[in-house]
């Protein structure tokens, strides 16, 4: 299995809703990442988990809450989002965040619309 | 200065053309370098890693010049299917994540 699976593929939520994005990989990768990508912009790093511990939080607002229940799963909990949070949310994994030379495998993303 | 800079294009070329993309990075401590390809409304996919000695994968050749902090991607004999956005990506140091350039858009026409 060489894939990163993200669910749901599309999500529309109101500003008062609570929802979660899910990401799963079975490649034995020990680093997992959340990126946010707006239209015609490059992906921007949000969070890095290394060996199930949060190692980087790029000053992301607290309305985004990551969780890594185990080495194969990564969640992103969403609460009280704003319309400007609408974007493609990409999950990725790699062998180890500390190793140079490893590319990432990206999931196909969740396209989020906040109304 | 942005960490990774690319000419956004678009590059519009006919089938069979050779096209080159350039990228510069600002952090001299950068360790790893990649080219990713992203199709419209899809996730980025690793095209190739970039090594100091230069490397080739079929029609694609990547070069790295550490002294100039410059990375390039050459595509020979362009195909319609090469139309996409090409992202220059740098990993700055151990323990950090990938930093993406804004991407260069390529459109190959028949």
């Amino acid at each position: 299995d060489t894939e990163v699976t993200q669910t749901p593929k599309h999500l529309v939520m109101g500003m008062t809703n609570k929802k979660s994005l899910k990401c799963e990989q079975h490649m034995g990768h020990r680093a997992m990442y959340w990126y946010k990508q707006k239209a015609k912009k490059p992906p921007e790093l949000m969070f890095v988990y290394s060996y199930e511990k949060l190692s980087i939080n790029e000053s992301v607002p607290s309305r985004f809450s990551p969780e890594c229940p185990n080495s194969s799963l990564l969640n992103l909990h969403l609460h009280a989002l704003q319309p400007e949070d609408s974007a493609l949310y990409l999950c990725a994994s790699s062998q180890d965040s500390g190793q140079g030379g490893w590319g990432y495998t990206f999931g196909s993303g969740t396209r989020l619309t906040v109304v | 200065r942005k960490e990774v800079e690319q000419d956004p294009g678009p590059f519009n070329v006919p089938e069979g053309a050779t096209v080159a993309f350039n990228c510069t990075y600002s952090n001299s401590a950068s360790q790893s370098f990649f080219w990713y390809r992203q199709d419209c409304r899809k996730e980025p996919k690793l095209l190739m890693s970039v090594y100091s000695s230069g490397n080739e994968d079929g029609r694609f050749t990547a070069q790295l010049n550490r002294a100039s902090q410059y990375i390039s991607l050459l595509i020979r004999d362009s195909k319609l299917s090469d139309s996409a956005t090409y992202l220059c990506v740098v990993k700055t140091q151990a323990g950090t994540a990938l930093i993406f350039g804004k991407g260069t858009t390529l459109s190959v026409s028949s």
Side-chain angles (χ1 to χ4, degrees):
Chain A
D1 187 350
T2 58
E3 288 187 344
V4 175
T5 302
Q6 288 188 244
T7 55
K9 292 195 182 306
H10 301 274
L11 178 62
V12 179
M13 61 186 288
M15 289 188 282
T16 58
N17 292 160
K18 281 185 182 180
K19 296 286 184 183
S20 296
L21 309 185
K22 297 185 184 304
C23 175
E24 187 169 3
Q25 57 88 13
H26 296 288
M27 294 178 281
H29 288 176
R30 301 315 302 267
M32 296 185 76
Y33 312 82
W34 281 114
Y35 279 82
K36 172 182 177 178
Q37 187 174 26
K38 303 278 278 184
K40 299 189 186 303
K41 299 283 188 183
E44 293 181 357
L45 181 66
M46 299 175 73
F47 302 104
V48 179
Y49 272 83
S50 181
Y51 292 84
E52 300 158 51
K53 290 187 175 5
L54 182 64
S55 62
I56 293 179
N57 175 341
E58 290 286 348
S59 303
V60 179
S62 59
R63 57 186 184 269
F64 295 92
S65 174
E67 178 198 18
C68 189
N70 60 56
S71 60
S72 299
L73 294 174
L74 185 66
N75 298 322
L76 186 63
H77 303 298
L78 313 173
H79 173 55
L81 296 194
Q82 303 296 311
E84 59 265 28
D85 296 321
S86 300
L88 179 66
Y89 287 83
L90 292 161
C91 174
S93 70
S94 66
Q95 292 274 6
D96 184 321
S97 68
Q99 294 285 336
W102 294 112
Y104 292 6
T105 301
F106 280 87
S108 57
T110 294
R111 193 161 296 280
L112 174 68
T113 304
V114 181
V115 297
Chain B
R1 181 181 172 188
K2 292 185 172 57
E3 288 200 64
V4 181
E5 296 207 56
Q6 293 180 251
D7 178 350
F11 284 61
N12 298 305
V13 303
E15 275 186 291
T18 295
V19 61
F21 304 141
N22 303 318
C23 167
T24 57
Y25 59 95
S26 60
N27 190 332
S28 59
S30 298
Q31 290 187 338
S32 304
F33 309 90
F34 309 91
W35 283 101
Y36 274 73
R37 170 196 170 127
Q38 187 169 24
D39 293 286
C40 186
R41 301 180 71 82
K42 299 283 190 182
E43 74 275 22
K45 292 188 177 176
L46 178 64
L47 180 65
M48 58 198 303
S49 300
V50 188
Y51 304 112
S52 297
S53 55
N55 49 299
E56 187 174 307
D57 183 0
R59 297 181 294 109
F60 299 84
T61 301
Q63 297 277 355
L64 167 64
N65 184 322
R66 286 187 182 270
S68 304
Q69 295 180 201
Y70 171 91
I71 306 162
S72 66
L73 176 69
L74 183 76
I75 304 176
R76 290 182 299 278
D77 188 22
S78 299
K79 311 289 184 194
L80 294 175
S81 57
D82 293 333
S83 298
T85 296
Y86 290 83
L87 298 159
C88 177
V89 185
V90 170
K91 189 170 185 182
T92 51
Q93 59 188 347
T96 63
L98 300 182
I99 306 299
F100 287 80
K102 287 193 172 182
T104 299
T105 301
L106 172 66
S107 177
V108 181
S109 56
S110 57

